[in-house]
mmCIF file of all heavy atoms in Angstrom:
data_model
loop_
_atom_site.group_PDB
_atom_site.id
_atom_site.type_symbol
_atom_site.label_atom_id
_atom_site.label_comp_id
_atom_site.label_asym_id
_atom_site.label_seq_id
_atom_site.Cartn_x
_atom_site.Cartn_y
_atom_site.Cartn_z
ATOM 1 N N MET A 15 -11.417 -6.415 -6.975
ATOM 2 C CA MET A 15 -10.035 -6.587 -6.534
ATOM 3 C C MET A 15 -9.268 -7.272 -7.674
ATOM 4 O O MET A 15 -9.737 -8.188 -8.300
ATOM 5 C CB MET A 15 -10.018 -7.459 -5.269
ATOM 6 C CG MET A 15 -8.655 -7.726 -4.745
ATOM 7 S SD MET A 15 -8.585 -8.573 -3.184
ATOM 8 C CE MET A 15 -9.343 -10.103 -3.606
ATOM 9 N N THR A 16 -8.059 -6.771 -7.935
ATOM 10 C CA THR A 16 -7.241 -7.332 -9.011
ATOM 11 C C THR A 16 -6.088 -8.149 -8.510
ATOM 12 O O THR A 16 -5.467 -8.844 -9.277
ATOM 13 C CB THR A 16 -6.748 -6.229 -9.952
ATOM 14 O OG1 THR A 16 -5.940 -5.326 -9.213
ATOM 15 C CG2 THR A 16 -7.915 -5.522 -10.645
ATOM 16 N N GLY A 17 -5.726 -8.027 -7.227
ATOM 17 C CA GLY A 17 -4.629 -8.830 -6.716
ATOM 18 C C GLY A 17 -4.286 -8.574 -5.250
ATOM 19 O O GLY A 17 -4.673 -7.532 -4.710
ATOM 20 N N ILE A 18 -3.637 -9.552 -4.648
ATOM 21 C CA ILE A 18 -3.122 -9.409 -3.305
ATOM 22 C C ILE A 18 -1.678 -9.920 -3.335
ATOM 23 O O ILE A 18 -1.382 -10.962 -3.882
ATOM 24 C CB ILE A 18 -3.905 -10.253 -2.299
ATOM 25 C CG1 ILE A 18 -5.350 -9.787 -2.200
ATOM 26 C CG2 ILE A 18 -3.256 -10.204 -0.878
ATOM 27 C CD1 ILE A 18 -6.225 -10.665 -1.352
ATOM 28 N N ARG A 19 -0.765 -9.152 -2.740
ATOM 29 C CA ARG A 19 0.616 -9.507 -2.673
ATOM 30 C C ARG A 19 1.078 -9.321 -1.249
ATOM 31 O O ARG A 19 0.785 -8.325 -0.610
ATOM 32 C CB ARG A 19 1.392 -8.583 -3.615
ATOM 33 C CG ARG A 19 2.900 -8.768 -3.548
ATOM 34 C CD ARG A 19 3.582 -7.781 -4.561
ATOM 35 N NE ARG A 19 4.361 -6.810 -3.839
ATOM 36 C CZ ARG A 19 4.121 -5.500 -3.789
ATOM 37 N NH1 ARG A 19 3.083 -4.980 -4.402
ATOM 38 N NH2 ARG A 19 4.866 -4.721 -3.085
ATOM 39 N N GLN A 20 1.785 -10.348 -0.713
ATOM 40 C CA GLN A 20 2.377 -10.191 0.602
ATOM 41 C C GLN A 20 3.825 -9.835 0.461
ATOM 42 O O GLN A 20 4.524 -10.363 -0.401
ATOM 43 C CB GLN A 20 2.255 -11.520 1.384
ATOM 44 C CG GLN A 20 0.858 -11.848 1.793
ATOM 45 C CD GLN A 20 0.820 -13.108 2.619
ATOM 46 O OE1 GLN A 20 1.642 -13.959 2.534
ATOM 47 N NE2 GLN A 20 -0.210 -13.187 3.478
ATOM 48 N N CYS A 21 4.261 -8.903 1.264
ATOM 49 C CA CYS A 21 5.675 -8.518 1.237
ATOM 50 C C CYS A 21 6.062 -7.934 2.611
ATOM 51 O O CYS A 21 5.189 -7.674 3.445
ATOM 52 C CB CYS A 21 5.988 -7.488 0.153
ATOM 53 S SG CYS A 21 5.311 -5.857 0.389
ATOM 54 N N LEU A 22 7.347 -7.802 2.836
ATOM 55 C CA LEU A 22 7.802 -7.113 4.039
ATOM 56 C C LEU A 22 7.645 -5.638 3.897
ATOM 57 O O LEU A 22 7.664 -5.089 2.792
ATOM 58 C CB LEU A 22 9.271 -7.478 4.310
ATOM 59 C CG LEU A 22 9.632 -8.939 4.477
ATOM 60 C CD1 LEU A 22 11.130 -9.116 4.650
ATOM 61 C CD2 LEU A 22 8.860 -9.569 5.635
ATOM 62 N N VAL A 23 7.493 -4.973 5.004
ATOM 63 C CA VAL A 23 7.387 -3.505 4.987
ATOM 64 C C VAL A 23 8.622 -2.939 4.248
ATOM 65 O O VAL A 23 8.470 -2.015 3.443
ATOM 66 C CB VAL A 23 7.271 -2.919 6.401
ATOM 67 C CG1 VAL A 23 7.407 -1.431 6.413
ATOM 68 C CG2 VAL A 23 5.957 -3.348 7.037
ATOM 69 N N SER A 24 9.755 -3.506 4.468
ATOM 70 C CA SER A 24 10.994 -3.036 3.839
ATOM 71 C C SER A 24 10.991 -3.224 2.322
ATOM 72 O O SER A 24 11.792 -2.645 1.633
ATOM 73 C CB SER A 24 12.237 -3.696 4.459
ATOM 74 O OG SER A 24 12.191 -5.095 4.229
ATOM 75 N N GLU A 25 10.114 -4.058 1.820
ATOM 76 C CA GLU A 25 10.039 -4.382 0.382
ATOM 77 C C GLU A 25 9.020 -3.528 -0.347
ATOM 78 O O GLU A 25 8.847 -3.699 -1.581
ATOM 79 C CB GLU A 25 9.751 -5.857 0.172
ATOM 80 C CG GLU A 25 10.815 -6.766 0.709
ATOM 81 C CD GLU A 25 10.434 -8.241 0.621
ATOM 82 O OE1 GLU A 25 9.226 -8.570 0.620
ATOM 83 O OE2 GLU A 25 11.386 -9.049 0.596
ATOM 84 N N LEU A 26 8.300 -2.654 0.356
ATOM 85 C CA LEU A 26 7.327 -1.804 -0.315
ATOM 86 C C LEU A 26 8.092 -0.917 -1.358
ATOM 87 O O LEU A 26 9.216 -0.501 -1.128
ATOM 88 C CB LEU A 26 6.615 -0.893 0.690
ATOM 89 C CG LEU A 26 5.636 -1.641 1.615
ATOM 90 C CD1 LEU A 26 5.200 -0.762 2.747
ATOM 91 C CD2 LEU A 26 4.417 -2.130 0.802
ATOM 92 N N THR A 27 7.431 -0.674 -2.481
ATOM 93 C CA THR A 27 8.069 -0.006 -3.584
ATOM 94 C C THR A 27 7.505 1.434 -3.817
ATOM 95 O O THR A 27 6.463 1.760 -3.261
ATOM 96 C CB THR A 27 7.842 -0.764 -4.907
ATOM 97 O OG1 THR A 27 6.451 -0.726 -5.227
ATOM 98 C CG2 THR A 27 8.333 -2.207 -4.784
ATOM 99 N N ASN A 28 8.213 2.220 -4.615
ATOM 100 C CA ASN A 28 7.703 3.521 -4.971
ATOM 101 C C ASN A 28 6.354 3.384 -5.706
ATOM 102 O O ASN A 28 5.504 4.241 -5.516
ATOM 103 C CB ASN A 28 8.722 4.241 -5.877
ATOM 104 C CG ASN A 28 9.923 4.685 -5.091
ATOM 105 O OD1 ASN A 28 9.969 4.731 -3.869
ATOM 106 N ND2 ASN A 28 10.997 4.999 -5.827
ATOM 107 N N GLN A 29 6.195 2.314 -6.450
ATOM 108 C CA GLN A 29 4.907 2.107 -7.149
ATOM 109 C C GLN A 29 3.781 1.907 -6.130
ATOM 110 O O GLN A 29 2.679 2.369 -6.305
ATOM 111 C CB GLN A 29 5.058 0.919 -8.093
ATOM 112 C CG GLN A 29 3.783 0.667 -8.908
ATOM 113 C CD GLN A 29 3.925 -0.458 -9.913
ATOM 114 O OE1 GLN A 29 5.015 -1.052 -10.009
ATOM 115 N NE2 GLN A 29 2.851 -0.804 -10.594
ATOM 116 N N ASP A 30 4.059 1.160 -5.058
ATOM 117 C CA ASP A 30 3.050 0.979 -3.988
ATOM 118 C C ASP A 30 2.703 2.339 -3.387
ATOM 119 O O ASP A 30 1.521 2.609 -3.184
ATOM 120 C CB ASP A 30 3.618 0.069 -2.886
ATOM 121 C CG ASP A 30 3.895 -1.381 -3.313
ATOM 122 O OD1 ASP A 30 3.175 -1.877 -4.197
ATOM 123 O OD2 ASP A 30 4.854 -1.940 -2.779
ATOM 124 N N ALA A 31 3.690 3.161 -3.182
ATOM 125 C CA ALA A 31 3.454 4.487 -2.623
ATOM 126 C C ALA A 31 2.618 5.357 -3.539
ATOM 127 O O ALA A 31 1.686 6.024 -3.114
ATOM 128 C CB ALA A 31 4.791 5.188 -2.303
ATOM 129 N N GLN A 32 2.954 5.316 -4.809
ATOM 130 C CA GLN A 32 2.240 6.164 -5.802
ATOM 131 C C GLN A 32 0.778 5.724 -5.918
ATOM 132 O O GLN A 32 -0.081 6.570 -6.146
ATOM 133 C CB GLN A 32 2.974 6.115 -7.144
ATOM 134 C CG GLN A 32 4.286 6.844 -7.056
ATOM 135 C CD GLN A 32 5.267 6.478 -8.120
ATOM 136 O OE1 GLN A 32 4.965 5.754 -9.040
ATOM 137 N NE2 GLN A 32 6.513 6.995 -7.990
ATOM 138 N N ALA A 33 0.501 4.440 -5.739
ATOM 139 C CA ALA A 33 -0.876 3.966 -5.770
ATOM 140 C C ALA A 33 -1.688 4.541 -4.615
ATOM 141 O O ALA A 33 -2.928 4.611 -4.676
ATOM 142 C CB ALA A 33 -0.918 2.441 -5.730
ATOM 143 N N GLU A 34 -0.994 4.977 -3.571
ATOM 144 C CA GLU A 34 -1.642 5.577 -2.395
ATOM 145 C C GLU A 34 -1.592 7.097 -2.431
ATOM 146 O O GLU A 34 -1.914 7.747 -1.455
ATOM 147 C CB GLU A 34 -0.948 5.088 -1.112
ATOM 148 C CG GLU A 34 -1.135 3.585 -0.836
ATOM 149 C CD GLU A 34 -2.608 3.268 -0.585
ATOM 150 O OE1 GLU A 34 -3.332 4.074 0.069
ATOM 151 O OE2 GLU A 34 -3.045 2.230 -1.023
ATOM 152 N N GLY A 35 -1.159 7.656 -3.562
ATOM 153 C CA GLY A 35 -1.096 9.106 -3.682
ATOM 154 C C GLY A 35 0.155 9.705 -3.061
ATOM 155 O O GLY A 35 0.217 10.934 -2.856
ATOM 156 N N LEU A 36 1.149 8.882 -2.756
ATOM 157 C CA LEU A 36 2.394 9.366 -2.200
ATOM 158 C C LEU A 36 3.452 9.293 -3.257
ATOM 159 O O LEU A 36 3.191 8.942 -4.404
ATOM 160 C CB LEU A 36 2.763 8.515 -0.981
ATOM 161 C CG LEU A 36 1.691 8.458 0.156
ATOM 162 C CD1 LEU A 36 2.023 7.398 1.147
ATOM 163 C CD2 LEU A 36 1.566 9.825 0.792
ATOM 164 N N THR A 37 4.721 9.603 -2.917
ATOM 165 C CA THR A 37 5.771 9.638 -3.905
ATOM 166 C C THR A 37 6.738 8.466 -3.787
ATOM 167 O O THR A 37 7.079 7.815 -4.768
ATOM 168 C CB THR A 37 6.555 10.948 -3.809
ATOM 169 O OG1 THR A 37 5.617 12.039 -3.930
ATOM 170 C CG2 THR A 37 7.579 11.085 -4.917
ATOM 171 N N THR A 38 7.212 8.193 -2.574
ATOM 172 C CA THR A 38 8.265 7.216 -2.413
ATOM 173 C C THR A 38 7.857 6.160 -1.370
ATOM 174 O O THR A 38 7.011 6.386 -0.513
ATOM 175 C CB THR A 38 9.558 7.858 -1.901
ATOM 176 O OG1 THR A 38 9.352 8.400 -0.576
ATOM 177 C CG2 THR A 38 10.040 8.941 -2.806
ATOM 178 N N ALA A 39 8.521 5.029 -1.461
ATOM 179 C CA ALA A 39 8.321 3.919 -0.502
ATOM 180 C C ALA A 39 8.675 4.386 0.917
ATOM 181 O O ALA A 39 7.987 4.011 1.893
ATOM 182 C CB ALA A 39 9.141 2.712 -0.907
ATOM 183 N N THR A 40 9.661 5.231 1.043
ATOM 184 C CA THR A 40 10.051 5.699 2.376
ATOM 185 C C THR A 40 8.906 6.536 2.940
ATOM 186 O O THR A 40 8.573 6.409 4.124
ATOM 187 C CB THR A 40 11.321 6.616 2.255
ATOM 188 O OG1 THR A 40 12.361 5.788 1.739
ATOM 189 C CG2 THR A 40 11.705 7.200 3.571
ATOM 190 N N GLU A 41 8.299 7.387 2.158
ATOM 191 C CA GLU A 41 7.140 8.163 2.615
ATOM 192 C C GLU A 41 5.994 7.244 3.020
ATOM 193 O O GLU A 41 5.351 7.447 4.035
ATOM 194 C CB GLU A 41 6.700 9.115 1.478
ATOM 195 C CG GLU A 41 5.614 10.067 1.865
ATOM 196 C CD GLU A 41 5.229 10.979 0.720
ATOM 197 O OE1 GLU A 41 5.662 10.776 -0.434
ATOM 198 O OE2 GLU A 41 4.446 11.933 1.000
ATOM 199 N N LEU A 42 5.730 6.195 2.250
ATOM 200 C CA LEU A 42 4.687 5.247 2.563
ATOM 201 C C LEU A 42 4.946 4.571 3.900
ATOM 202 O O LEU A 42 4.053 4.440 4.765
ATOM 203 C CB LEU A 42 4.549 4.185 1.471
ATOM 204 C CG LEU A 42 3.556 3.060 1.690
ATOM 205 C CD1 LEU A 42 2.140 3.614 1.952
ATOM 206 C CD2 LEU A 42 3.517 2.131 0.485
ATOM 207 N N ARG A 43 6.183 4.130 4.139
ATOM 208 C CA ARG A 43 6.557 3.502 5.405
ATOM 209 C C ARG A 43 6.367 4.484 6.561
ATOM 210 O O ARG A 43 5.896 4.061 7.627
ATOM 211 C CB ARG A 43 7.978 2.983 5.358
ATOM 212 C CG ARG A 43 8.112 1.712 4.536
ATOM 213 C CD ARG A 43 9.501 1.096 4.617
ATOM 214 N NE ARG A 43 10.481 1.762 3.805
ATOM 215 C CZ ARG A 43 10.697 1.505 2.529
ATOM 216 N NH1 ARG A 43 10.037 0.568 1.883
ATOM 217 N NH2 ARG A 43 11.646 2.171 1.887
ATOM 218 N N GLU A 44 6.677 5.749 6.401
ATOM 219 C CA GLU A 44 6.473 6.749 7.455
ATOM 220 C C GLU A 44 5.000 6.909 7.765
ATOM 221 O O GLU A 44 4.610 7.045 8.925
ATOM 222 C CB GLU A 44 7.108 8.066 7.026
ATOM 223 C CG GLU A 44 8.605 8.053 6.993
ATOM 224 C CD GLU A 44 9.254 9.325 6.418
ATOM 225 O OE1 GLU A 44 8.502 10.282 6.045
ATOM 226 O OE2 GLU A 44 10.476 9.366 6.317
ATOM 227 N N VAL A 45 4.172 6.959 6.737
ATOM 228 C CA VAL A 45 2.708 7.092 6.951
ATOM 229 C C VAL A 45 2.188 5.866 7.663
ATOM 230 O O VAL A 45 1.390 5.977 8.628
ATOM 231 C CB VAL A 45 1.984 7.274 5.593
ATOM 232 C CG1 VAL A 45 0.498 7.134 5.776
ATOM 233 C CG2 VAL A 45 2.310 8.659 5.022
ATOM 234 N N LEU A 46 2.656 4.704 7.290
ATOM 235 C CA LEU A 46 2.194 3.432 7.957
ATOM 236 C C LEU A 46 2.610 3.475 9.412
ATOM 237 O O LEU A 46 1.848 3.063 10.289
ATOM 238 C CB LEU A 46 2.742 2.233 7.229
ATOM 239 C CG LEU A 46 2.094 1.904 5.864
ATOM 240 C CD1 LEU A 46 2.880 0.830 5.164
ATOM 241 C CD2 LEU A 46 0.650 1.540 6.046
ATOM 242 N N LYS A 47 3.814 3.906 9.681
ATOM 243 C CA LYS A 47 4.335 3.986 11.080
ATOM 244 C C LYS A 47 3.491 4.976 11.909
ATOM 245 O O LYS A 47 3.344 4.813 13.120
ATOM 246 C CB LYS A 47 5.799 4.419 11.151
ATOM 247 C CG LYS A 47 6.793 3.401 10.637
ATOM 248 C CD LYS A 47 7.271 2.447 11.659
ATOM 249 C CE LYS A 47 8.054 3.070 12.804
ATOM 250 N NZ LYS A 47 8.446 2.086 13.773
ATOM 251 N N GLY A 48 2.918 6.002 11.264
ATOM 252 C CA GLY A 48 2.029 6.911 11.958
ATOM 253 C C GLY A 48 0.756 6.229 12.445
ATOM 254 O O GLY A 48 0.224 6.560 13.479
ATOM 255 N N HIS A 49 0.298 5.239 11.686
ATOM 256 C CA HIS A 49 -0.905 4.485 12.056
ATOM 257 C C HIS A 49 -0.542 3.288 12.936
ATOM 258 O O HIS A 49 -1.347 2.896 13.779
ATOM 259 C CB HIS A 49 -1.633 3.991 10.804
ATOM 260 C CG HIS A 49 -2.251 5.086 9.988
ATOM 261 N ND1 HIS A 49 -3.412 5.743 10.428
ATOM 262 C CD2 HIS A 49 -1.915 5.654 8.823
ATOM 263 C CE1 HIS A 49 -3.724 6.630 9.525
ATOM 264 N NE2 HIS A 49 -2.833 6.612 8.549
ATOM 265 N N TYR A 50 0.598 2.694 12.698
ATOM 266 C CA TYR A 50 1.030 1.482 13.399
ATOM 267 C C TYR A 50 2.451 1.719 13.953
ATOM 268 O O TYR A 50 3.438 1.317 13.321
ATOM 269 C CB TYR A 50 1.057 0.281 12.432
ATOM 270 C CG TYR A 50 -0.256 0.123 11.678
ATOM 271 C CD1 TYR A 50 -0.405 0.537 10.360
ATOM 272 C CD2 TYR A 50 -1.381 -0.472 12.322
ATOM 273 C CE1 TYR A 50 -1.592 0.408 9.670
ATOM 274 C CE2 TYR A 50 -2.578 -0.610 11.628
ATOM 275 C CZ TYR A 50 -2.664 -0.184 10.325
ATOM 276 O OH TYR A 50 -3.854 -0.302 9.636
ATOM 277 N N PRO A 51 2.579 2.389 15.070
ATOM 278 C CA PRO A 51 3.870 2.811 15.613
ATOM 279 C C PRO A 51 4.890 1.639 15.806
ATOM 280 O O PRO A 51 6.085 1.885 15.723
ATOM 281 C CB PRO A 51 3.533 3.453 16.938
ATOM 282 C CG PRO A 51 2.102 3.823 16.852
ATOM 283 C CD PRO A 51 1.472 2.832 15.935
ATOM 284 N N ASP A 52 4.379 0.432 16.067
ATOM 285 C CA ASP A 52 5.311 -0.702 16.295
ATOM 286 C C ASP A 52 5.687 -1.438 14.996
ATOM 287 O O ASP A 52 6.366 -2.434 15.062
ATOM 288 C CB ASP A 52 4.664 -1.665 17.276
ATOM 289 C CG ASP A 52 4.450 -1.025 18.639
ATOM 290 O OD1 ASP A 52 5.239 -0.144 19.026
ATOM 291 O OD2 ASP A 52 3.488 -1.424 19.333
ATOM 292 N N LEU A 53 5.235 -0.947 13.856
ATOM 293 C CA LEU A 53 5.494 -1.600 12.598
ATOM 294 C C LEU A 53 7.023 -1.556 12.280
ATOM 295 O O LEU A 53 7.656 -0.543 12.392
ATOM 296 C CB LEU A 53 4.741 -0.872 11.455
ATOM 297 C CG LEU A 53 4.711 -1.565 10.132
ATOM 298 C CD1 LEU A 53 3.857 -2.837 10.216
ATOM 299 C CD2 LEU A 53 4.087 -0.621 9.086
ATOM 300 N N ALA A 54 7.572 -2.705 11.960
ATOM 301 C CA ALA A 54 8.984 -2.828 11.645
ATOM 302 C C ALA A 54 9.174 -3.250 10.202
ATOM 303 O O ALA A 54 8.254 -3.785 9.563
ATOM 304 C CB ALA A 54 9.631 -3.861 12.556
ATOM 305 N N GLY A 55 10.347 -3.001 9.658
ATOM 306 C CA GLY A 55 10.676 -3.386 8.274
ATOM 307 C C GLY A 55 10.568 -4.851 8.011
ATOM 308 O O GLY A 55 10.382 -5.287 6.888
ATOM 309 N N THR A 56 10.649 -5.637 9.072
ATOM 310 C CA THR A 56 10.594 -7.086 8.935
ATOM 311 C C THR A 56 9.141 -7.635 9.068
ATOM 312 O O THR A 56 8.959 -8.859 8.978
ATOM 313 C CB THR A 56 11.489 -7.779 9.977
ATOM 314 O OG1 THR A 56 11.120 -7.311 11.272
ATOM 315 C CG2 THR A 56 12.938 -7.479 9.742
ATOM 316 N N ASP A 57 8.196 -6.770 9.291
ATOM 317 C CA ASP A 57 6.799 -7.164 9.428
ATOM 318 C C ASP A 57 6.225 -7.362 8.023
ATOM 319 O O ASP A 57 6.590 -6.664 7.066
ATOM 320 C CB ASP A 57 5.954 -6.148 10.141
ATOM 321 C CG ASP A 57 6.258 -6.076 11.610
ATOM 322 O OD1 ASP A 57 6.678 -7.115 12.199
ATOM 323 O OD2 ASP A 57 6.068 -5.002 12.228
ATOM 324 N N GLU A 58 5.290 -8.347 7.886
ATOM 325 C CA GLU A 58 4.593 -8.596 6.625
ATOM 326 C C GLU A 58 3.383 -7.693 6.484
ATOM 327 O O GLU A 58 2.679 -7.468 7.458
ATOM 328 C CB GLU A 58 4.155 -10.063 6.518
ATOM 329 C CG GLU A 58 5.158 -10.940 5.889
ATOM 330 C CD GLU A 58 4.581 -12.311 5.547
ATOM 331 O OE1 GLU A 58 3.344 -12.525 5.667
ATOM 332 O OE2 GLU A 58 5.378 -13.154 5.137
ATOM 333 N N VAL A 59 3.121 -7.241 5.294
ATOM 334 C CA VAL A 59 1.941 -6.496 4.947
ATOM 335 C C VAL A 59 1.312 -7.121 3.736
ATOM 336 O O VAL A 59 1.997 -7.786 2.924
ATOM 337 C CB VAL A 59 2.193 -5.002 4.740
ATOM 338 C CG1 VAL A 59 2.625 -4.330 5.983
ATOM 339 C CG2 VAL A 59 3.185 -4.777 3.633
ATOM 340 N N ASP A 60 0.007 -6.919 3.549
ATOM 341 C CA ASP A 60 -0.712 -7.337 2.364
ATOM 342 C C ASP A 60 -0.927 -6.098 1.520
ATOM 343 O O ASP A 60 -1.469 -5.098 2.009
ATOM 344 C CB ASP A 60 -2.024 -7.965 2.687
ATOM 345 C CG ASP A 60 -1.907 -9.307 3.398
ATOM 346 O OD1 ASP A 60 -0.931 -10.023 3.185
ATOM 347 O OD2 ASP A 60 -2.814 -9.635 4.209
ATOM 348 N N VAL A 61 -0.520 -6.159 0.276
ATOM 349 C CA VAL A 61 -0.750 -5.065 -0.662
ATOM 350 C C VAL A 61 -1.920 -5.486 -1.563
ATOM 351 O O VAL A 61 -1.744 -6.467 -2.305
ATOM 352 C CB VAL A 61 0.516 -4.706 -1.499
ATOM 353 C CG1 VAL A 61 0.251 -3.599 -2.486
ATOM 354 C CG2 VAL A 61 1.692 -4.375 -0.589
ATOM 355 N N ILE A 62 -3.026 -4.815 -1.484
ATOM 356 C CA ILE A 62 -4.204 -5.175 -2.225
ATOM 357 C C ILE A 62 -4.385 -4.155 -3.356
ATOM 358 O O ILE A 62 -4.370 -2.962 -3.128
ATOM 359 C CB ILE A 62 -5.450 -5.206 -1.310
ATOM 360 C CG1 ILE A 62 -5.193 -6.208 -0.194
ATOM 361 C CG2 ILE A 62 -6.701 -5.524 -2.137
ATOM 362 C CD1 ILE A 62 -6.266 -6.178 0.889
ATOM 363 N N THR A 63 -4.546 -4.672 -4.557
ATOM 364 C CA THR A 63 -4.825 -3.783 -5.732
ATOM 365 C C THR A 63 -6.257 -3.981 -6.197
ATOM 366 O O THR A 63 -6.764 -5.104 -6.087
ATOM 367 C CB THR A 63 -3.815 -4.047 -6.849
ATOM 368 O OG1 THR A 63 -3.841 -5.425 -7.225
ATOM 369 C CG2 THR A 63 -2.401 -3.656 -6.444
ATOM 370 N N PHE A 64 -6.814 -2.920 -6.689
ATOM 371 C CA PHE A 64 -8.146 -3.010 -7.243
ATOM 372 C C PHE A 64 -8.346 -1.974 -8.308
ATOM 373 O O PHE A 64 -7.590 -1.020 -8.430
ATOM 374 C CB PHE A 64 -9.194 -2.868 -6.116
ATOM 375 C CG PHE A 64 -9.076 -1.589 -5.332
ATOM 376 C CD1 PHE A 64 -9.802 -0.473 -5.704
ATOM 377 C CD2 PHE A 64 -8.251 -1.523 -4.210
ATOM 378 C CE1 PHE A 64 -9.670 0.711 -4.978
ATOM 379 C CE2 PHE A 64 -8.139 -0.324 -3.481
ATOM 380 C CZ PHE A 64 -8.823 0.770 -3.847
ATOM 381 N N GLN A 65 -9.406 -2.156 -9.071
ATOM 382 C CA GLN A 65 -9.752 -1.223 -10.124
ATOM 383 C C GLN A 65 -11.123 -0.650 -9.835
ATOM 384 O O GLN A 65 -12.056 -1.423 -9.502
ATOM 385 C CB GLN A 65 -9.719 -1.923 -11.486
ATOM 386 C CG GLN A 65 -10.094 -1.060 -12.658
ATOM 387 C CD GLN A 65 -10.008 -1.809 -13.969
ATOM 388 O OE1 GLN A 65 -9.291 -2.783 -14.073
ATOM 389 N NE2 GLN A 65 -10.683 -1.306 -14.938
ATOM 390 N N ILE A 66 -11.321 0.639 -9.966
ATOM 391 C CA ILE A 66 -12.581 1.266 -9.750
ATOM 392 C C ILE A 66 -13.269 1.474 -11.122
ATOM 393 O O ILE A 66 -12.672 2.044 -12.032
ATOM 394 C CB ILE A 66 -12.387 2.641 -9.042
ATOM 395 C CG1 ILE A 66 -11.784 2.409 -7.695
ATOM 396 C CG2 ILE A 66 -13.721 3.345 -8.958
ATOM 397 C CD1 ILE A 66 -11.392 3.678 -6.950
ATOM 398 N N ASN A 67 -14.454 0.939 -11.258
ATOM 399 C CA ASN A 67 -15.235 1.107 -12.431
ATOM 400 C C ASN A 67 -16.211 2.219 -12.166
ATOM 401 O O ASN A 67 -17.120 2.081 -11.360
ATOM 402 C CB ASN A 67 -15.968 -0.153 -12.818
ATOM 403 C CG ASN A 67 -15.013 -1.268 -13.189
ATOM 404 O OD1 ASN A 67 -14.027 -1.057 -13.880
ATOM 405 N ND2 ASN A 67 -15.342 -2.493 -12.779
ATOM 406 N N ASP A 68 -16.082 3.345 -12.895
ATOM 407 C CA ASP A 68 -16.956 4.475 -12.694
ATOM 408 C C ASP A 68 -18.226 4.311 -13.506
ATOM 409 O O ASP A 68 -18.204 4.486 -14.729
ATOM 410 C CB ASP A 68 -16.221 5.777 -13.063
ATOM 411 C CG ASP A 68 -17.014 7.026 -12.742
ATOM 412 O OD1 ASP A 68 -18.033 6.896 -12.021
ATOM 413 O OD2 ASP A 68 -16.640 8.084 -13.234
ATOM 414 N N LYS A 69 -19.286 3.905 -12.858
ATOM 415 C CA LYS A 69 -20.574 3.721 -13.530
ATOM 416 C C LYS A 69 -21.573 4.705 -12.969
ATOM 417 O O LYS A 69 -22.556 4.313 -12.356
ATOM 418 C CB LYS A 69 -21.051 2.282 -13.345
ATOM 419 C CG LYS A 69 -20.156 1.266 -13.986
ATOM 420 C CD LYS A 69 -20.726 -0.128 -13.864
ATOM 421 C CE LYS A 69 -19.830 -1.123 -14.595
ATOM 422 N NZ LYS A 69 -20.340 -2.483 -14.502
ATOM 423 N N THR A 70 -21.305 5.982 -13.218
ATOM 424 C CA THR A 70 -22.224 7.019 -12.716
ATOM 425 C C THR A 70 -23.318 7.286 -13.753
ATOM 426 O O THR A 70 -23.174 6.979 -14.931
ATOM 427 C CB THR A 70 -21.467 8.300 -12.404
ATOM 428 O OG1 THR A 70 -20.835 8.771 -13.569
ATOM 429 C CG2 THR A 70 -20.447 8.061 -11.287
ATOM 430 N N GLY A 71 -24.394 7.875 -13.296
ATOM 431 C CA GLY A 71 -25.479 8.205 -14.245
ATOM 432 C C GLY A 71 -26.668 7.336 -13.989
ATOM 433 O O GLY A 71 -26.622 6.304 -13.292
ATOM 434 N N ALA A 72 -27.811 7.733 -14.536
ATOM 435 C CA ALA A 72 -29.074 7.004 -14.361
ATOM 436 C C ALA A 72 -29.163 5.865 -15.394
ATOM 437 O O ALA A 72 -28.667 5.974 -16.488
ATOM 438 C CB ALA A 72 -30.211 7.955 -14.537
ATOM 439 N N ALA A 73 -29.784 4.802 -14.959
ATOM 440 C CA ALA A 73 -29.992 3.625 -15.834
ATOM 441 C C ALA A 73 -31.330 3.768 -16.567
ATOM 442 O O ALA A 73 -32.261 4.309 -16.107
ATOM 443 C CB ALA A 73 -29.919 2.355 -15.043
#
């Protein structure tokens, strides 16, 4: 894990969306509402970032 940031749903950015394979923050909010129908723009979310280290192969 490289970081945790708390923000309001309304403060999610296009960069947050792109990290999830989406394009815009609006699209990200719509996807989240699909999972959490009562989610409001004034609700807090945790945005967790991490880096994947690809260590494939035999040792």
Side-chain angles (χ1 to χ4, degrees):
M15 180 174 62
T16 59
I18 299 175
R19 175 179 113 247
Q20 290 184 334
C21 70
L22 299 178
V23 171
S24 63
E25 296 172 336
L26 290 167
T27 67
N28 289 343
Q29 184 177 356
D30 296 326
Q32 291 161 5
E34 293 296 322
L36 304 169
T37 305
T38 66
T40 300
E41 185 180 10
L42 176 56
R43 284 188 282 274
E44 289 172 2
V45 168
L46 288 171
K47 290 271 296 178
H49 291 285
Y50 309 100
D52 296 329
L53 192 67
T56 54
D57 289 333
E58 269 192 6
V59 292
D60 293 330
V61 178
I62 301 170
T63 54
F64 57 92
Q65 179 177 339
I66 298 173
N67 295 319
D68 186 13
K69 295 183 178 181
T70 59

